[in-house]
């Protein structure tokens, strides 16, 4: 079947289409209705069906192929490697599930996972899925203020963490960050389960903290059956940044997610049971959830869990892993490839990469130079895919498992089956039909299986955030600008809101501004994303001070400000520059003109300044930039 027929069927006969895809997973009880769209804008999939994500990812494979590799852990941080077969994985997941159960965790309880890239992170996620607990994984690079707000919002019964992570051979103790976060949060978890890697000493808080090895030893060989869950039950929440400082808990279901991922593995990521998949992301991000943990395992593949950087011990490391583990599909982000290109353009030479069928890149714009360099270097197709934490799986790409369509330079591909992608004029609400004309990328209902159900405990925020961007139209806004060409290929042209993308990590400028504003000498602050050759964008801050002259020691103050951001949010959000300015450009109604600041910082024309309260403020900043 051609891709266009496949796509058309998904849109014109969605019930038949998704019923067929649903056969890729095991059901404990069949669903009675494929889709329920009666409560707009909430779409529900596979009504009355009962299943379990962990059963589909682990047990069903352990039954038929127990000795196949399931989880390949490789850490260049601590120089360790461990391979778990499906049998081993089942045993470890049951031990973790029994441990959580012994602490009183049951269906619907939240378990917050704040972990480095170690197997126990995967065990904990799958254990939650097994017993119907809702996991909330928080990226290990986040510091205590970010972590505290997530603990507050998720109100977990138990937190699973580790003594420390490691990045570039530097040990990062997690326990003090976690203790600090719990102290700041009004919600206190009943227990903290700690995986002791013996990287950093830690002290247990009596009656609260439990060493995982000790707990595990008491729970080994306890069978924990997979709880049959409703397809519409919640599998997890994952926090993501938006325009406001408060992170949103993206909430996902069980059945829709299982089917969407299983289908994407087949049609997009060229999955075959027994093969290996290597996604270089982190379990704390959506790519980690979908394509390190659930997707590959649902497809019966081995998944590579890599703790380390792309360039340590040397820039060949990833290609050594591809050769060693016979990786067939690899998933990474453009920034990582740009780093490799810069560090060691010949790093893949001499490695047998013949197992690799394709490299998938996502998370940020893929520039043509990077794309063609890596595809020539590896001699495999490079497939861009565009999506968001909210969608959970690709919205735009070229599903090669259906038809190997040609790529186009700069394009993220075609609308993926199940997605009614439209380009709309944000001010008139009219569709943009002219090829090449830019508009807001929106999605019409129904949103396909796997898409977020709502914002955790805040349906109103879900509606207000995503469904009210275009006048007179009830469409989901992606907050990305883009356009389609005459063949329907889509091109992404950047965010329409105040979200920036640093090395594939999505950050809200509001969050960084709030952190900088906690500094006593700061009066006002604006943060913008500025183009960067390697990271795509970096955060740049413009600060006015309460007292003129306080910037005399600008170097020290810049250091203090950067440190605040690092300690409160995490190193990913650290501004690359802090500029001290006399005034910030604003509209007459007092709205910060971040776009004008961004233009100046990138050496572009800031455009129409007629709405500006005080154009001199911007001119002054421009002069400062010209002086360097
Ligand atoms: P996140 O939710 O962290 O995955 O970030 C999603 C955002 O990253 C999208 O809304 C886009 O702005 C950007 N993004 C993701 N994938 C791509 C891509 N392939 N090309 C361009 N931008 C992308």
């Amino acid at each position: 079947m051609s891709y266009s027929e496949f796509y058309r069927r998904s849109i014109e006969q969605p019930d038949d289409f998704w019923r067929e895809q649903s056969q890729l997973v095991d059901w404990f009880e069949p669903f009675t209705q494929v889709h329920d769209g009666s409560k707009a804008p909430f779409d529900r999939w596979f009504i009355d069906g009962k299943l379990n994500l962990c059963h589909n990812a682990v047990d069903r494979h352990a039954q038929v192929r127990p000795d196949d590799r399931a989880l390949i852990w490789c850490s260049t941080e601590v120089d360790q490697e461990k391979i778990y077969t499906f049998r081993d994985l089942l045993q470890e997941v049951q031990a973790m599930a029994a441990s959580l159960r012994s602490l009183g965790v049951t269906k619907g309880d939240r378990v917050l996972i704040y972990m480095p890239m170690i197997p126990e992170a995967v065990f904990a996620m799958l254990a939650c899925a097994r017993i119907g607990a809702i996991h909330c994984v928080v990226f290990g690079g986040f510091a205590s203020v970010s972590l505290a707000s997530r603990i507050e919002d998720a109100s977990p019964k138990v937190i699973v963490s580790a003594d420390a992570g490691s990045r570039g051979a530097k040990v990062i103790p997690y326990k003090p960050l976690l203790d600090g976060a719990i102290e700041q949060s009004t919600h206190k978890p009943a227990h903290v389960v700690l995986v002791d890697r013996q990287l950093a000493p830690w002290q247990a808080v009596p009656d609260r903290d439990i060493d995982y090895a000790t707990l595990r030893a008491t729970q080994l060989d306890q069978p924990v059956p997979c709880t049959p869950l409703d397809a519409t039950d919640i599998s997890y929440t994952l926090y993501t940044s938006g325009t406001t400082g408060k992170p949103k808990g993206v909430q996902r279901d069980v059945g829709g997610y299982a089917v969407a991922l299983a289908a994407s593995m087949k049609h997009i990521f060229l999955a075959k049971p027994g093969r290996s998949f290597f996604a270089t992301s982190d379990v704390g991000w959506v790519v980690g959830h979908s394509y390190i943990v659930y997707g590959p395992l649902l497809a019966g593949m081995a998944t590579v869990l890599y703790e380390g950087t792309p360039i340590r011990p040397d820039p060949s490391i990833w290609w050594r892993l591809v050769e060693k583990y016979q990786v067939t599909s690899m998933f990474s982000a453009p920034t990582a490839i740009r780093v490799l290109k810069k560090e060691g353009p010949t790093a893949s030479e001499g490695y047998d990469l013949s197992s690799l069928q394709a490299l998938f890149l996502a998370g940020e714009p893929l520039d043509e130079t990077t794309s063609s360099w890596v595809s020539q270097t590896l001699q495999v197709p490079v497939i861009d895919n565009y999506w968001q934490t909210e969608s959970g799986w690709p919205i735009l790409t070229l599903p090669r498992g259906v038809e190997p369509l040609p790529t186009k330079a700069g394009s993220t591909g075609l609308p993926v089956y199940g997605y009614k992608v439209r380009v709309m004029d944000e001010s008139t609400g009219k569709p943009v039909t002219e090829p090449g004309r830019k508009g807001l990328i929106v999605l019409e209902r129904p949103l396909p299986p796997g898409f977020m159900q709502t914002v955790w405990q805040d349906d109103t925020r879900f509606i207000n955030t995503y469904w009210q961007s275009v006048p007179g139209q009830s469409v989901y806004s992606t907050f990305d600008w883009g356009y389609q060409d005459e063949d329907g290929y889509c091109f992404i042209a950047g965010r329409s809101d105040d979200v920036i993308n640093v090395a594939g990590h999505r950050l809200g400028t509001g969050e960084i501004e709030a952190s900088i504003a906690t500094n006593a000498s700061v009066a006002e602050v604006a943060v913008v994303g500025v183009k960067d050759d390697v990271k795509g964008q970096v955060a740049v801050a413009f600060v006015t001070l309460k007292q003129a002259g306080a910037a005399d020691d600008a170097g020290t103050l810049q250091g203090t400000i950067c440190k605040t951001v690092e300690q409160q949010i995490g190193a990913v959000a650290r501004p690359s520059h802090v500029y001290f300015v006399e005034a910030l450009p604003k509209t007459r109604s007092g709205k910060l003109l971040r776009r004008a600041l961004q233009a100046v910082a990138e050496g572009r024309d800031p455009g129409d300044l007629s709405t500006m309260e005080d154009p001199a403020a911007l001119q002054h900043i421009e002069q400062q930039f010209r002086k360097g």
Side-chain angles (χ1 to χ4, degrees):
M1 192 189 281
S2 71
Y3 180 65
S4 63
E5 277 170 70
F6 190 79
Y7 176 78
R8 197 172 327 116
R9 192 151 175 272
S10 77
I11 301 301
E12 289 173 4
Q13 294 153 282
D15 281 13
D16 291 347
F17 180 88
W18 287 112
R19 185 176 291 111
E20 229 165 74
Q21 303 305 323
S22 74
Q23 290 165 14
L24 292 166
V25 300
D26 282 1
W27 295 84
F28 294 146
E29 281 177 36
F31 48 87
T32 55
Q33 195 182 339
V34 177
H35 172 244
D36 169 17
S38 59
K39 288 199 193 88
F42 302 93
D43 288 297
R44 297 162 76 237
W45 291 93
F46 309 116
I47 313 305
D48 300 325
K50 288 202 187 291
L51 77 168
N52 185 287
L53 264 170
C54 183
H55 166 83
N56 277 289
V58 185
D59 298 51
R60 64 170 175 160
H61 307 299
Q63 279 158 19
V64 291
R65 296 179 298 110
D67 298 316
D68 273 10
R69 299 170 313 171
L71 178 66
I72 300 170
W73 178 56
C74 171
S75 170
T76 50
E77 295 292 335
V78 294
D79 283 329
Q80 279 180 37
E81 180 202 69
K82 207 158 174 192
I83 296 180
Y84 298 83
T85 62
F86 277 102
R87 182 195 284 113
D88 303 331
L89 183 59
L90 178 58
Q91 189 188 22
E92 290 300 338
V93 171
Q94 294 216 61
M96 181 67 86
S99 301
L100 293 175
R101 208 176 49 176
S102 75
L103 299 175
V105 176
T106 56
K107 188 183 162 202
D109 286 338
R110 271 80 58 215
V111 174
L112 189 138
I113 299 172
Y114 180 61
M115 300 274 264
M117 289 285 282
I118 55 175
E120 287 81 358
V122 178
F123 305 156
M125 290 167 77
L126 291 166
C128 289
R130 191 170 191 86
I131 59 177
I134 299 167
H135 62 65
C136 320
V137 185
V138 176
F139 174 54
F142 279 133
S144 46
V145 171
S146 305
L147 181 55
S149 66
R150 287 152 173 83
I151 295 174
E152 192 82 60
D153 195 69
S155 56
K157 193 176 250 182
V158 169
I159 295 181
V160 185
S161 190
D163 59 337
S166 176
R167 181 101 186 139
K170 191 172 153 241
V171 169
I172 302 153
Y174 279 24
K175 182 70 165 51
L177 296 173
L178 180 59
D179 286 345
I182 295 175
E183 208 176 297
Q184 287 167 49
S185 163
T186 57
H187 172 83
K188 312 288 177 199
H191 292 289
V192 169
V193 175
L194 215 88
V195 176
D196 189 357
R197 310 177 71 191
Q198 315 247 310
L199 292 180
W202 57 283
Q203 284 224 312
V205 173
D207 302 326
R208 189 196 78 181
D209 296 353
I210 299 161
D211 170 57
Y212 181 57
T214 316
L215 181 61
R216 176 182 174 275
T218 65
Q219 301 296 325
L220 267 180
D221 302 323
Q222 292 241 26
V224 181
C226 289
T227 306
L229 299 172
D230 280 338
T232 51
D233 277 340
I234 307 166
S235 59
Y236 69 76
T237 66
L238 176 60
Y239 288 88
T240 188
S241 303
T243 303
T244 66
K246 191 174 182 278
K248 290 185 288 273
V250 166
Q251 176 184 313
R252 193 112 46 223
D253 70 359
V254 176
Y257 190 49
V259 172
L261 287 187
S264 72
M265 290 305 295
K266 179 174 173 192
H267 305 307
I268 300 173
F269 295 109
L270 311 173
K272 286 259 163 35
R275 293 184 174 178
S276 14
F277 196 91
F278 179 16
T280 67
S281 182
D282 187 285
V283 289
W285 305 118
V286 69
V287 177
H289 283 63
S290 293
Y291 298 112
I292 294 177
V293 182
Y294 290 110
L297 294 173
L298 283 169
M301 293 180 82
T303 184
V304 178
L305 182 75
Y306 174 68
E307 182 185 43
T309 71
I311 52 169
R312 238 189 112 262
D314 57 66
S316 300
I317 178 63
W318 283 0
W319 315 122
R320 277 209 291 287
L321 300 184
V322 169
E323 180 184 82
K324 183 168 179 192
Y325 303 128
Q326 294 285 289
V327 171
T328 51
S329 296
M330 185 165 169
F331 190 138
S332 193
T335 291
I337 304 302
R338 286 191 290 264
V339 167
L340 288 177
K341 179 167 173 266
K342 209 170 151 202
E343 289 277 334
T346 56
S348 62
E349 274 175 19
Y351 291 94
D352 178 4
L353 307 180
S354 56
S355 59
L356 201 60
Q357 309 168 89
L359 173 68
F360 300 91
L361 295 177
E364 54 178 321
L366 172 62
D367 55 285
E368 181 46 18
T369 322
T370 306
S371 171
S372 52
W373 174 77
V374 72
S375 107
Q376 273 163 27
T377 308
L378 303 180
Q379 290 293 308
V380 293
V382 171
I383 310 297
D384 195 353
N385 54 120
Y386 159 87
W387 47 296
Q388 315 180 303
T389 306
E390 288 84 346
S391 70
W393 61 288
I395 298 170
L396 302 169
T397 192
L398 296 170
R400 289 182 75 78
V402 184
E403 185 187 358
L405 288 163
T407 55
K408 275 196 193 191
S411 168
T412 47
L414 297 164
V416 170
Y417 53 88
Y419 284 99
K420 292 191 207 174
V421 179
R422 304 278 180 269
V423 182
M424 267 186 190
D425 186 313
E426 202 184 3
S427 47
T428 63
K430 293 217 169 80
V432 175
T433 46
E434 206 182 306
R437 225 185 89 206
K438 222 163 81 171
L440 187 68
I441 307 263
V442 301
L443 305 173
E444 279 179 11
R445 291 193 50 237
L447 297 180
F451 213 96
M452 75 187 287
Q453 291 178 300
T454 184
V455 172
W456 165 250
Q457 289 194 318
D458 203 344
D459 286 349
T460 309
R461 193 168 178 202
F462 176 65
I463 294 168
N464 293 347
T465 306
Y466 297 106
W467 296 89
Q468 297 188 341
S469 293
V470 185
Q473 300 279 355
S474 180
V475 288
Y476 169 92
S477 172
T478 62
F479 296 101
D480 282 301
W481 300 112
Y483 60 92
Q484 275 187 297
D485 72 4
E486 53 292 345
D487 300 322
Y489 278 62
C490 298
F491 296 75
I492 299 293
R495 294 281 299 196
S496 68
D497 59 2
D498 294 321
V499 162
I500 62 172
N501 195 317
V502 178
H505 302 318
R506 172 169 159 187
L507 300 166
T509 48
E511 234 176 313
I512 306 175
E513 286 166 1
S515 167
I516 293 177
T518 60
N519 221 291
S521 44
V522 171
E524 277 190 306
V525 50
V527 169
V528 298
V530 174
K531 262 204 187 106
D532 180 86
D533 282 351
V534 174
K535 296 180 178 175
Q537 279 189 314
V538 287
V540 168
F542 294 85
V543 168
T544 64
L545 296 168
K546 284 184 185 150
Q547 278 182 338
D552 286 350
D553 192 5
T556 315
L557 197 50
Q558 157 144 349
T560 315
I561 286 174
C562 289
K563 207 161 182 143
T564 316
V565 176
E566 206 172 313
Q567 282 171 348
Q568 296 191 356
I569 307 179
V572 280
R574 186 188 163 98
S576 73
H577 271 94
V578 179
Y579 293 99
F580 298 102
V581 298
E582 279 176 19
L584 294 173
K586 289 186 190 158
T587 61
R588 287 194 197 106
S589 57
K591 208 170 165 272
L592 267 176
L593 280 163
R594 292 195 186 81
R595 236 161 274 285
L597 277 174
Q598 184 189 38
V600 168
E602 291 182 346
R604 290 183 284 113
D605 176 4
D608 180 13
L609 305 184
S610 60
T611 58
M612 202 175 282
E613 170 72 28
D614 173 17
L618 195 69
Q619 281 151 9
H620 191 84
I621 295 170
E622 269 183 302
Q623 280 163 10
Q624 230 174 307
F625 259 83
R626 263 187 248 122
K627 275 192 234 144

